[in-house]
Amino acid sequence: MRATEQELEPQTEDALAFPPFTQTRRARAAFVANLLRGGCPVLDETFDAIYPDVIRRASAVHWTPVRVCARIVKLLALSPSDRLVDVGAGAGKLCIVASAMSGAHVRGIERVPALANVAREAARRLGVDVEIVDGGFDVRAGEDADVVYMFNPFFESIPLPGAPNAAMQAAIDIAAAEELLGALRKGARVVTFCGFGGDIPTDYHRLARERWDGGALEVWEKR
């Protein structure tokens, strides 16, 4: 679930600036990246240390926990030949962890430019190759995807005060997500954490459903 422009708005640009990448921080980043590449999930507090304070404080609510990322990699048996698209990538946590642990090609789509920049810098510092795309999404986003991941990316559009068109935007986004799922090839899989606000098309078969802190993790395959 990504943070919103309204949540980031009270912050200055400096609040989203990363601390200097000192030799100590470089060593810690390399240590975290090596653990992930070795298949060892790290504590969220350890991973989140890569981010600016404002992003780190939002982690428990808005970013996928590392252990959930690791579980997704295992459930899907992700490999370097797989292509995963994260809709609403936020600060890039799922993208980075999934790519590091599996070698899969991971593309994150994030509407908020400030968050997309944060995701790119975090990936750069950890030395993990991910693709982060600014802007919205449509069916073309999933044309070559083997997996689409959504952590309830449209929820925050609905309850925000002072945003009269928020519910309409959420409805548009959910409809676009349903269209994207309908356009995926047979055999493609969809992973949701806490849902996405819409309905999984009827030609999908649910492969797994697990309860995690904060919500349900579900895996579907298009038949």
Side-chain angles (χ1 to χ4, degrees):
M1 187 190 304
R2 56 188 171 82
T4 65
E5 290 176 287
Q6 286 88 345
E7 288 173 311
L8 294 173
E9 202 170 35
Q11 309 294 331
T12 65
E13 284 190 17
D14 288 344
L16 291 177
F18 282 71
F21 204 26
T22 62
Q23 185 174 355
T24 298
R25 290 194 175 100
R26 288 176 187 273
R28 289 174 181 170
F31 177 71
V32 169
N34 286 336
L35 285 175
L36 293 173
R37 290 191 179 100
C40 180
V42 300
L43 295 175
D44 285 292
E45 295 81 6
T46 301
F47 183 90
D48 294 342
I50 197 72
Y51 291 116
D53 286 345
V54 66
I55 298 296
R56 186 165 60 248
R57 290 196 299 270
S59 182
V61 175
H62 292 291
W63 323 135
T64 307
V66 172
R67 62 198 184 105
V68 175
C69 298
R71 181 58 177 158
I72 291 168
V73 170
K74 184 174 182 179
L75 281 172
L76 298 176
L78 283 180
S79 72
S81 63
D82 288 316
R83 295 158 296 185
L84 184 152
V85 172
D86 180 3
V87 176
K93 192 168 178 178
L94 179 280
C95 295
I96 294 168
V97 175
S99 178
M101 297 190 79
S102 69
H105 175 77
V106 181
R107 180 167 70 247
I109 302 172
E110 175 50 52
R111 175 175 290 158
V112 181
L115 284 175
N117 288 335
V118 166
R120 293 187 190 101
E121 178 60 13
R124 186 190 72 81
R125 291 188 171 208
L126 287 163
V128 177
D129 185 19
V130 298
E131 178 187 2
I132 304 295
V133 179
D134 293 57
F137 72 99
D138 54 30
V139 294
R140 291 172 296 178
E143 283 179 340
D144 62 348
D146 300 302
V147 180
V148 170
Y149 175 70
M150 291 183 282
F151 176 14
N152 203 1
F154 315 120
F155 170 78
E156 83 288 338
S157 302
I158 299 172
L160 293 174
N165 296 320
M168 179 180 297
Q169 183 60 57
I172 292 171
D173 288 339
I174 290 167
E178 291 177 336
E179 184 179 3
L180 184 154
L181 300 187
L184 292 179
R185 62 170 180 77
K186 289 184 179 180
R189 292 165 292 175
V190 173
V191 182
T192 62
F193 185 43
C194 304
F196 74 100
D199 296 319
I200 300 291
T202 57
D203 54 349
Y204 280 79
H205 173 71
R206 188 165 66 191
L207 301 177
R209 186 177 194 275
E210 300 179 354
R211 295 294 302 180
W212 288 80
D213 294 344
L217 177 67
E218 296 183 293
V219 180
W220 304 79
E221 183 178 64
K222 188 170 185 178
R223 298 292 175 87

